[in-house]
Amino acid sequence: YGLEPYAMAADVYSQPPYVGRGGWSWYTGAAGWLHRAAIESILGLKMTAHGLCFTPCLPAHWPRAEITLVREGRTMRFVLVRQSADAVRTTWGSQGVGFLAVGEHLAWAALPPHAVFVVPLEGAPMG
């Protein structure tokens, strides 16, 4: 359920020999806007110069989503799961991860080179 880059066609041909083929996918900027919409609207990532937080709105049928951010020599993996905070701590507590509540600010600039956080989504809005 992680997000991967996909080409987005801005124009689909209807005349032979190119029927059904798309064009101008990366040239219009449409793919960049789609990527930004997914990161900011669906995953709810808000990132500043020194911090970040998540206010996700995952589709109702997504049990989880993951995103890995690389910034200034740090690799930060975030797993958003549709579980309660208690269930997340029970499931993930022994795996050496951090926990981040929806809307909680995280000072990413102070993190070690590799960090993993789990974000419980019970009660978070669904798309």
Side-chain angles (χ1 to χ4, degrees):
Y1 294 100
L3 297 175
E4 298 175 10
Y6 292 98
M8 178 180 187
D11 186 19
V12 177
Y13 297 105
S14 61
Q15 298 298 313
Y18 304 112
V19 174
R21 291 187 182 178
W24 299 97
S25 60
W26 294 104
Y27 303 107
T28 63
W33 281 107
L34 178 64
H35 183 259
R36 186 172 177 180
I39 300 299
E40 294 178 5
S41 298
I42 297 171
L43 295 182
L45 175 63
K46 308 292 186 254
M47 194 155 200
T48 64
H50 302 287
L52 60 81
C53 72
F54 286 91
T55 54
C57 188
L58 299 184
H61 63 280
W62 286 14
R64 68 188 268 166
E66 295 187 28
I67 184 170
T68 299
L69 303 173
V70 178
R71 190 159 184 183
E72 293 186 16
R74 290 174 180 81
T75 301
M76 302 163 280
R77 179 178 166 221
F78 297 90
V79 182
L80 294 79
V81 293
R82 199 172 298 287
Q83 293 180 322
S84 69
D86 290 341
V88 165
R89 289 187 193 285
T90 300
T91 304
W92 294 82
S94 64
Q95 297 183 35
V97 303
F99 300 100
L100 188 65
V102 169
E104 180 182 355
H105 185 267
L106 175 67
W108 67 264
L111 293 176
H114 297 281
V116 178
F117 288 86
V118 180
V119 183
L121 301 181
E122 184 176 87
M126 293 189 287

